[in-house]
């Protein structure tokens, strides 16, 4: 008689995915509202069902095995479909439209995963995203044109209540050859950008001559100029195109300060609050992953 294998419990797969993404049993347990021992037992059950080890504890936290990596991609797809089915056949708790602002520098780095998860859990919500410099987004929020916005530190209105989501250093990005040129050719955003101000202040304090060779409206534009070998630019930690690398004192450049990414809300509505919660959770998850990478 043909034996039918037991079905995979979505709860087991969800705990597995959360552990891999957060690098921690504790963080995953908090996300699903279970104890750490209960989540550990879930993973043991999953490994027993599949007959292969899925996770390893290493110096950087919990990491997937070869079989775990294979499962991760498929578990994400299965859970997305599971959540879509579930949300489609239930009355959505939140519906309507929400207008989110973000600097272009953060859109590709942070938002894809956040917005995808939000769409899966809130299918009746329409998200309108506006990319612009931080100071423009703050002005639009004040005018009622946005419901909430991400912004770079240094652009927050006086006395505003900011939820700071991330903090880390800025880096010079380019090539060794460009770093040796004097005056130093720069590709920066236009006036009003806190990254631009930080770069110029650091160079002036170090008494290094510089010139703004290119003005780009976005980080992708500045990276394209740097990749062409025409100027260096400033970026936050993260993946860089092949041919570029982070530069610093070893290349004769001054250290750049840390900066923060904040979330500023307008009038609170159920739709805006739901998206704000997803953004905060997404940044917390990414911050935990980066902490492991720097360990």
């Amino acid at each position: 008689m043909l034996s039918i294998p037991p079905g995979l419990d979505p709860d087991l797969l969800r705990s597995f995915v959360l552990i891999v993404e957060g690098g921690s049993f504790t963080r995953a347990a908090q996300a699903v509202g279970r104890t750490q021992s209960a989540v550990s037992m879930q993973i043991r059950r999953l490994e027993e069902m599949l007959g292969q080890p899925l996770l390893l504890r290493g110096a950087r936290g919990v990491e997937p095995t070869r079989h775990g990596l294979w499962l991760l991609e498929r578990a994400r797809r299965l859970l997305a479909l599971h959540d879509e089915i579930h949300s489609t056949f239930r009355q959505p708790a939140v519906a309507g439209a929400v207008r989110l602002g973000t600097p272009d520098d953060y859109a590709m780095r942070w938002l894809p995963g956040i917005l995808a998860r939000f769409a899966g859990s809130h299918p009746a919500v329409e998200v309108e995203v506006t990319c612009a410099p931080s100071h423009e987004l703050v002005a639009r929020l004040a005018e009622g044109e946005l419901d909430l916005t991400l912004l770079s530190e240094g652009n927050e209105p006086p006395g505003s209540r900011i939820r700071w989501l991330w903090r880390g250093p800025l880096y010079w990005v380019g090539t060794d050859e460009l770093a040796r040129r004097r005056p130093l050719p720069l590709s920066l955003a236009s006036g009003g950008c806190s990254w631009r101000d930080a770069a110029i202040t650091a160079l002036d304090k170090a008494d290094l001559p510089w010139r703004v060779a290119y003005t780009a409206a976005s980080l992708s534009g500045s990276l394209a100029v740097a990749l062409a070998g025409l100027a260096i630019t400033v970026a936050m930690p993260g993946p860089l195109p092949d041919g570029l690398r982070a530069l610093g004192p070893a290349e004769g450049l001054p250290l750049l300060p840390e900066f923060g990414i904040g979330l500023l809300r307008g009038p609170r509505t159920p739709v805006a609050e739901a998206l704000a919660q997803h953004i905060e959770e997404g940044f917390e998850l990414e911050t935990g992953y980066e902490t492991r990478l720097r360990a």
Side-chain angles (χ1 to χ4, degrees), residues 103-190:
D104 180 81
D105 306 330
Y106 311 147
M108 287 301 296
R109 172 76 186 281
W110 304 93
L111 289 186
I114 291 173
L115 294 180
R117 288 190 292 270
F118 183 75
S121 59
H122 296 81
V125 174
E126 179 182 351
V127 182
E128 177 184 318
V129 181
T130 297
C131 291
S134 291
H135 64 280
E136 292 184 17
L137 295 170
V138 170
R140 292 189 186 188
L141 185 71
E143 294 294 326
E145 298 176 8
L146 296 173
D147 298 302
L148 65 166
T149 186
L150 298 172
L151 74 162
S152 299
E153 185 176 7
N155 294 276
E156 61 273 17
S160 59
R161 297 180 62 183
I162 300 288
R163 171 69 164 92
W164 294 109
L165 304 171
W166 186 87
R167 184 161 204 80
L170 291 171
Y171 293 111
W172 302 103
V173 172
T175 64
D176 293 350
E177 192 276 330
L178 283 172
R180 291 191 292 269
R181 291 187 189 175
R182 298 294 182 269
L184 187 69
L186 302 176
S187 178
L188 299 173
S190 57

Side-chain angles (χ1 to χ4, degrees), residues 56-77:
L56 292 173
R57 287 181 172 86
R60 293 183 175 180
V62 182
E63 298 180 346
T65 64
R66 178 170 57 88
H67 290 97
L69 283 172
W70 187 92
L71 175 64
L72 179 63
E73 177 185 353
R74 291 153 181 83
R76 284 171 170 159
R77 295 204 301 264

